[in-house]
Amino acid sequence: NNYEPIIEDLNKLRKYIVYETDIFLSIDESNPKQKGLTKALKDNMFSREAYGYAITIMATHVDVLTHELCHVIDRVSTKNQFSKQKEFQPLLKLYKNEHAEEINRIKASDKPAEEKQAFLKYWKDPYQNGKSETEIFARFCEYYLVAKEKLNITVRPTTKSPLDRLCEKVYIEHKSQITEYFDTLFQQVHEKHNEIVEQAHENHNNEIVDIDFEESMYLVDSEYNSLQL
């Protein structure tokens, strides 16, 4: 019963994930510092392809689930990572422009010098300044999916970092442009799916072929019991 809301959300979101992707989701109760972590699963350390992803989220922070799934949608750590492609760059630029304005606001503020330096150090970190493209992609995608789907686990209401708040500001101000990007992206994903199905039919001399592109998803509990979704 504790897993039901998570399973419902996974079933709603799986259609947004590139086909043939295995996902192993574990709920961790032992690491209070790490809210969520997504790791690409590869055949070897030099591979630029991933056959699946392992997602770990803290039991006390299941509200990061959608965000971590958005890293999977991004195909993070592969040669086909969406957030590194040219189509995403205009959205990344929107964030970087807002980030630069935030830096200027801090410099112009009347905060004590020590506090000001701490803020500037925070915002110049690659995780915050847009050099980690997947973090910006995942946050924009998170807002998009929450607007599209009626999810049990929505955008984090109580654990927003300054980065989250800045991405939220950009999303609100440029919602139509961001929505258009993800609409187009997911349409292309679905078209690719259809192409593969049609090709499979041709390869089998037009016989009826049943191809299952439903992503394999597994929920692993604290005792390492695996439940396929």
Side-chain angles (χ1 to χ4, degrees):
N1 290 336
N2 292 336
Y3 290 154
E4 284 182 2
I6 296 175
I7 293 172
E8 287 179 7
D9 281 0
L10 288 172
N11 287 330
K12 289 176 183 177
L13 296 176
R14 68 170 64 201
K15 62 178 176 287
Y16 296 98
I17 298 171
V18 173
Y19 37 75
E20 298 183 313
T21 301
D22 287 337
I23 298 176
F24 299 87
L25 172 64
S26 61
I27 311 298
D28 188 0
E29 299 179 358
S30 62
N31 183 5
K33 293 184 179 180
Q34 185 72 55
K35 295 177 183 178
L37 180 67
T38 297
K39 182 180 180 181
L41 304 175
K42 302 181 178 184
D43 292 325
N44 61 73
M45 64 182 296
F46 302 106
S47 176
R48 298 183 65 203
E49 302 283 357
Y51 63 82
Y53 288 87
I55 299 176
T56 303
I57 58 176
M58 273 298 300
T60 54
H61 289 284
V62 293
D63 54 356
V64 303
L65 172 62
T66 304
H67 174 83
E68 296 304 325
L69 282 173
C70 288
H71 285 307
V72 177
I73 290 172
D74 186 24
R75 303 185 294 189
V76 67
S77 299
T78 73
K79 66 179 181 180
N80 298 313
Q81 184 172 324
F82 287 129
S83 61
K84 289 184 177 292
Q85 296 176 13
K86 63 180 182 180
E87 291 81 3
F88 183 69
Q89 299 313 299
L91 302 191
L92 185 61
K93 186 176 180 179
L94 291 176
Y95 173 82
K96 287 184 175 180
N97 289 343
E98 188 62 38
H99 173 270
E101 290 184 18
E102 180 68 15
I103 294 291
N104 290 333
R105 284 192 289 267
I106 294 171
K107 289 181 177 179
S109 71
D110 56 359
K111 295 178 182 296
E114 188 174 333
E115 184 178 345
K116 192 179 294 189
Q117 285 302 315
F119 273 105
L120 290 174
K121 182 179 179 180
Y122 171 87
W123 282 112
K124 289 179 180 179
D125 182 274
Y127 191 86
Q128 322 295 338
N129 66 14
K131 289 185 179 179
S132 179
E133 303 96 333
T134 189
E135 291 302 331
I136 311 306
F137 178 100
R139 282 165 173 79
F140 287 164
C141 186
E142 185 178 0
Y143 290 117
Y144 171 88
L145 293 176
V146 168
K148 277 279 186 180
E149 302 287 343
K150 188 177 181 180
L151 301 177
N152 295 305
I153 302 170
T154 57
V155 177
R156 291 152 281 163
T158 58
T159 60
K160 288 181 184 177
S161 66
L163 173 61
D164 294 326
R165 290 194 291 271
L166 199 62
C167 284
E168 183 178 35
K169 182 177 186 295
V170 175
Y171 175 80
I172 291 172
E173 293 178 355
H174 303 277
K175 184 177 180 178
S176 60
Q177 184 177 349
I178 294 172
T179 299
E180 182 180 4
Y181 167 80
F182 284 107
D183 282 344
T184 302
L185 175 65
F186 293 127
Q187 180 62 35
Q188 291 172 348
V189 169
H190 295 150
E191 287 175 357
K192 184 65 175 178
H193 165 94
N194 293 335
E195 287 177 12
I196 292 179
V197 172
E198 290 174 6
Q199 185 63 50
H201 278 282
E202 292 178 7
N203 293 342
H204 288 79
N205 298 319
N206 294 321
E207 294 178 2
I208 296 176
V209 181
D210 181 17
I211 300 179
D212 182 11
F213 279 112
E214 290 290 303
E215 291 75 24
S216 297
M217 293 191 177
Y218 304 85
L219 185 65
V220 186
D221 64 19
S222 58
E223 296 180 355
Y224 302 97
N225 297 310
S226 179
L227 171 66
Q228 185 168 5
L229 310 180

